[in-house]
Amino acid sequence: MKNELKKYFIITYGCQMNEHDSEKLAGMLEGIDYQKAGQVEEADIILLNTCTIRENAELKVFGKVGELKRLKENNPELIIGVGGCMMQSKKAVQQLYEKHPQVDLIFGTHNIHHVPDLIQRIEKERGRIVEVWDEEEGLIPDLPSVRESDFKAWVSIIQGCNNFCTYCIVPYVRGRERSRPLKEIVSEVERLAAEGVKEITLLGQNVNSYGKDLEEKVDFADLLQELDKIPGLQRLRYMTSHPRDFSNKLIEVIKDSRSVCEHFHLPIQSGSNSILKKMNRGYNREKYLELVNKIRQEIPEASITTDIIVGFPGETEEEFQETMELVREARFDSAFTFIYSARTGTPAAKMEDQIPEEVKKDRLNRLMTLQNQISLEKNQEDLGKIVEVLIEGESKNNPETLMGRDRRNKLVIIPRAEGVIGEIVKVKINRVQSFTLYGEVV
Ligand code: SAH
Ligand code: SF4
Ligand code: F3S
């Protein structure tokens, strides 16, 4: 019987929210009797879950859709669906619909719970369907997920974003902030912990806004405090927190908690006050550094990481140097660095003085060189230290070794024989690089 089930294959771009949405899509497809295909060629249905945060992300999607055309030619029964953030743009939908007749289904971020119905309609009637909602209708209902991992899980706590940073497309494609009721989150985490999940990552574009839109009086710190009590759960993480409203209460709760990991991802975006203002970030470099210092004082073992954009419209060499200076001062453990990408519909895309591509690339290179050096120096401080690592799987480049992450989210590599995937081990660090720690289990 099992072999007769039709097969699905999902390709995901973008951030953890998209990864998590893909787990829900998988859950719904299994609910209508599909099973996961080992390879894309075996699939009866292929879904692309897209991202539109930067132009590169979109180019990848168009490239992939083009590639899939060949599969459709070999198998006209194949259903190809494209959903996710990029499909919230009318222009992208139009381009896809007109130039890529191999695409049968287009859906948005607000109606993923309708995908099984839409697929069944296509199976019956064989037509093309475009269903994208402009606006969210409250929370997307709880959906069953097929998780990639037995020991790690994502839990969504707030959807959407109200911040409207001037460069960012997310508020336009994910809608306004909607928090999930505390009780629902607690029971989901309880269930996952009882199933043996060791690490949970709470998801939201801005988790510290949690609760602002709820009737009950709860905030993100209260939520962490509640979840910390759940037995069995060993590690609690969250993505992403905004530096603007990272409260003292939150630092205290994290400090006193058992399970919340000692990792703070605080996207600074720029070290220049004038640029931060144009970005509408709601803090300045002084406030940001104050926050970093407070965290280091309260939780000295914590890692602090960030996101930085270079080449925002109008960014001068001096303003870029302020970012370099901030990076030297803050000494991040690591940073995701991006070249500014103009997104149609955002205020920054209309600003004057868009920076030439070569200048942006040159700034990115200088910034990366600086940060890599700092990351290496930071990691060198770990030599001889013992860290707690959750082993996640085989390491990418060397099947003789396993990789995992310590509580600070640093990547740690150990010899294969010394660990078991899904287990937490203590590792003594004996060699380091900019992005990786190497060690032996003690
Ligand atoms: N909600 C998160 C960020 C989500 S997007 C937050 O506010 O921190 C992840 C990162 O992509 C951002 O932190 C930013 O550094 C980068 N990013 C967003 N829009 C971008 C754009 N138009 N060009 C380049 N990088 C961008
Ligand atoms: Fe985008 Fe800013 Fe919202 Fe993050 S906080 S998703 S950068 S608008
Ligand atoms: Fe991309 Fe959407 Fe995430 S635009 S970064 S997948 S919220």
Side-chain angles (χ1 to χ4, degrees):
M1 185 61 201
K2 185 107 185 148
N3 293 334
E4 288 164 26
L5 291 182
K6 290 194 180 172
K7 294 188 176 156
Y8 68 87
F9 196 90
I10 303 177
I11 304 168
T12 310
Y13 301 86
C15 67
Q16 283 81 2
M17 328 265 151
N18 257 20
E19 300 271 355
H20 189 43
D21 282 352
S22 288
E23 292 184 336
K24 294 179 188 168
L25 287 166
M28 289 187 287
L29 288 170
E30 298 199 1
I32 55 168
D33 283 343
Y34 275 84
Q35 65 173 322
K36 188 172 170 176
Q39 280 166 342
V40 70
E41 288 82 7
E42 298 165 10
D44 300 285
I45 175 157
I46 301 169
L47 295 182
L48 267 63
N49 195 1
T50 64
C51 171
T52 182
I53 196 85
R54 286 169 287 272
E55 194 186 1
N56 271 346
E58 294 209 346
L59 296 176
K60 276 192 219 156
V61 170
F62 279 114
K64 193 52 143 192
V65 171
E67 258 176 56
L68 295 179
K69 192 166 183 186
R70 186 181 47 84
L71 293 180
K72 183 93 168 195
E73 282 162 2
N74 294 340
N75 173 16
E77 296 281 290
L78 173 68
I79 297 176
I80 299 178
V82 186
C85 295
M86 191 176 148
M87 296 303 104
Q88 292 299 130
S89 141
K90 293 213 168 66
K91 206 173 116 207
V93 169
Q94 198 182 2
Q95 205 173 339
L96 204 62
Y97 191 85
E98 285 169 7
K99 299 213 178 110
H100 295 279
Q102 70 274 31
V103 174
D104 304 281
L105 169 64
I106 293 176
F107 58 97
T109 57
H110 302 306
N111 61 333
I112 62 168
H113 50 300
H114 286 186
V115 165
D117 285 349
L118 300 173
I119 288 171
Q120 285 176 324
R121 249 169 64 201
I122 293 176
E123 284 175 332
K124 265 201 229 110
E125 298 159 17
R126 299 304 315 187
R128 303 177 77 194
I129 298 181
V130 178
E131 193 183 299
V132 179
W133 298 356
D134 282 345
E135 274 172 53
E136 64 280 8
E137 284 188 358
L139 276 166
I140 294 168
D142 285 355
L143 299 166
S145 309
V146 173
R147 274 185 282 118
E148 286 284 317
S149 156
D150 297 330
F151 49 89
K152 277 176 33 165
W154 287 306
V155 171
S156 159
I157 65 164
I158 177 167
Q159 295 168 5
C161 183
N162 290 358
N163 283 322
F164 290 95
C165 303
T166 54
Y167 51 82
C168 184
I169 193 81
V170 170
Y172 306 90
V173 298
R174 289 277 176 171
R176 294 294 67 68
E177 287 173 356
R178 287 105 56 210
S179 302
R180 272 178 86 191
L182 184 90
K183 273 219 306 272
E184 273 177 32
I185 300 170
V186 171
S187 59
E188 182 172 351
V189 174
E190 278 171 346
R191 184 172 52 75
L192 290 166
E195 284 173 14
V197 169
K198 297 200 168 100
E199 178 179 298
I200 283 186
T201 305
L202 306 175
L203 293 181
Q205 288 300 349
N206 177 14
V207 291
N208 5 23
S209 283
Y210 177 76
K212 282 184 190 161
D213 58 319
L214 291 176
E215 264 174 41
E216 48 181 329
K217 246 185 86 90
V218 292
D219 61 18
F220 182 55
D222 300 328
L223 175 66
L224 287 183
Q225 221 163 15
E226 273 314 299
L227 298 177
D228 190 48
K229 294 178 194 154
I230 295 174
L233 180 62
Q234 309 213 25
R235 291 177 164 193
L236 195 52
R237 300 187 186 276
Y238 51 87
M239 302 219 68
T240 303
S241 49
H242 194 297
R244 186 194 50 218
D245 33 32
F246 209 98
S247 66
N248 287 341
K249 175 182 170 188
L250 188 49
I251 298 176
E252 287 307 312
V253 165
I254 294 172
K255 184 182 170 184
D256 295 336
S257 80
R258 171 187 62 81
S259 59
V260 183
C261 289
E262 296 76 25
H263 171 217
F264 293 80
H265 183 66
L266 295 165
I268 173 91
Q269 312 301 1
S270 165
S272 149
N273 283 342
S274 45
I275 294 290
L276 284 170
K277 196 150 188 210
K278 286 187 202 159
M279 286 178 163
N280 189 30
R281 288 291 289 179
Y283 54 82
N284 57 28
R285 62 180 286 143
E286 291 76 22
K287 278 263 171 308
Y288 184 90
L289 285 169
E290 200 181 298
L291 174 62
V292 165
N293 290 334
K294 208 166 357 175
I295 292 169
R296 292 230 164 99
Q297 210 163 38
E298 296 296 317
I299 311 174
E301 70 276 26
S303 63
I304 302 182
T305 59
T306 200
D307 294 349
I308 301 171
I309 298 174
V310 299
F312 184 83
E315 185 187 67
T316 61
E317 175 62 24
E318 289 70 41
E319 287 166 329
F320 171 66
Q321 285 304 333
E322 285 170 6
T323 297
M324 295 286 273
E325 196 45 50
L326 182 127
V327 165
R328 283 185 204 104
E329 245 182 89
R331 292 186 66 77
F332 298 111
D333 289 271
S334 64
F336 293 108
T337 49
F338 305 104
I339 283 183
Y340 168 75
S341 172
R343 309 313 293 134
T344 309
T346 62
K350 288 186 230 98
M351 288 179 188
E352 280 168 27
D353 295 330
Q354 298 284 329
I355 307 294
E357 219 47 42
E358 320 82 75
V359 176
K360 290 198 256 192
K361 278 193 190 138
D362 173 58
R363 286 181 188 165
L364 184 77
N365 283 338
R366 285 185 279 157
L367 178 61
M368 282 170 67
T369 307
L370 172 63
Q371 180 55 51
N372 289 351
Q373 178 60 31
I374 294 171
S375 296
L376 180 63
E377 287 166 13
K378 284 243 145 188
N379 286 347
Q380 280 164 344
E381 294 168 15
D382 284 346
L383 283 168
K385 257 194 211 161
I386 292 173
V387 294
E388 184 206 280
V389 181
L390 171 56
I391 304 298
E392 295 182 7
E394 220 172 67
S395 51
K396 264 200 202 122
N397 310 323
N398 182 356
E400 306 285 286
T401 59
L402 295 174
M403 61 75 68
R405 293 197 177 261
D406 75 0
R407 291 181 59 94
R408 301 166 305 167
N409 209 37
K410 295 215 179 188
L411 186 65
V412 182
I413 308 273
I414 62 164
R416 164 131 229 160
E418 295 184 9
V420 177
I421 294 171
E423 296 295 314
I424 292 179
V425 288
K426 290 231 179 337
V427 176
K428 187 168 182 188
I429 303 304
N430 54 29
R431 186 161 74 87
V432 303
Q433 292 173 341
S434 284
F435 307 110
T436 325
L437 309 177
Y438 297 84
E440 285 166 359
V441 174
V442 290

